[in-house]
Amino acid sequence: MKVMVETSAHHVHVSQAHLEALFGPQASLTNKKDLSQPGQFACAEKVEVVGPKGSMTMSILGPCRSETQVEISLTDARKLGVPAPIRESGDLEGTPGCTLKGPAGEVVIEKGVIAAKRHIHFNPEQAKEAGVEDKQIVSVKVDYNGRALVFGDVVCRVSPSYALAMHVDTDESNAAALPGTVGGEIIR
């Protein structure tokens, strides 16, 4: 089965409470660009993510979530000095924290910094067509510009709220010389 492979750059998901701490009371997120997942969007708002070794400015993705989460590549982790474990989005127990700075204040999160595990979003119909189940591990082959690569250990995530797309971080994308979004093939 073919799948769109998207590069997901570092970004932050914030809770409403943290959004207000960073941007002021009654702050809301401004949709700058819709993303491939239904209801998800890149925001005009950005925050500075601060670790022991450095800092980086990152975009916020909306809408707000129940917990604040920072998704970075392993290269970003080295720059920030934060030992980000490779985890699925939302699996935050035992992860390191960092400081977030916005125009109205800053927030210290005790946990929530991860390097996102490569994954494919499927709605139930797409999962059935592909012959996969939620949490199943597959491989995906990409071949762009003569630099073919097989991504192993790709987790399938199935939900009625998802649209078919695979997400890799910038380190993974650079390894395969991907220009941003390309086609891939799910293999066993």
Side-chain angles (χ1 to χ4, degrees):
M1 178 178 196
K2 299 290 184 185
V3 63
M4 175 178 63
V5 180
E6 297 178 313
T7 302
S8 181
H10 53 230
H11 59 273
V12 179
H13 298 281
V14 294
S15 67
Q16 183 63 40
H18 286 166
L19 176 65
E20 292 184 25
L22 294 164
F23 291 90
Q26 271 86 61
S28 61
L29 295 172
T30 308
N31 184 337
K32 181 176 153 187
K33 177 185 173 190
D34 288 333
L35 300 175
S36 65
Q37 295 308 301
Q40 305 291 306
F41 54 93
C43 302
E45 292 76 19
K46 296 180 182 221
V47 293
E48 183 181 4
V49 177
V50 183
K53 288 187 177 178
S55 67
M56 304 173 78
T57 300
M58 297 185 197
S59 294
I60 295 175
L61 298 188
C64 286
R65 292 195 176 182
S66 59
E67 285 190 275
T68 296
Q69 172 177 302
V70 178
E71 294 186 33
I72 58 178
S73 71
L74 295 178
T75 298
D76 296 335
R78 288 183 191 95
K79 180 178 179 181
L80 293 170
V82 178
I86 299 169
R87 296 277 184 92
E88 284 189 56
S89 180
D91 181 7
L92 306 181
E93 287 307 312
T95 61
C98 66
T99 299
L100 303 176
K101 292 184 178 181
E106 67 179 55
V107 172
V108 176
I109 59 171
E110 299 300 319
K111 64 179 181 179
V113 180
I114 65 168
K117 184 176 179 83
R118 59 183 81 110
H119 58 277
I120 306 172
H121 294 278
F122 295 89
N123 67 36
E125 295 78 26
Q126 294 161 335
K128 185 176 180 181
E129 181 184 337
V132 299
E133 296 178 1
D134 192 42
K135 305 297 183 192
Q136 182 176 338
I137 303 299
V138 298
S139 295
V140 175
K141 180 180 180 181
V142 293
D143 189 359
Y144 180 80
N145 207 18
R147 198 163 187 190
L149 188 138
V150 175
F151 290 108
D153 200 27
V154 180
V155 66
C156 297
R157 300 181 61 195
V158 181
S159 168
S161 63
Y162 291 159
L164 184 62
M166 177 177 166
H167 291 151
V168 297
D169 70 24
T170 51
D171 287 349
E172 295 166 319
S173 179
N174 288 338
L178 304 181
T181 301
V182 299
E185 182 180 356
I186 300 170
I187 57 176
R188 304 274 186 255

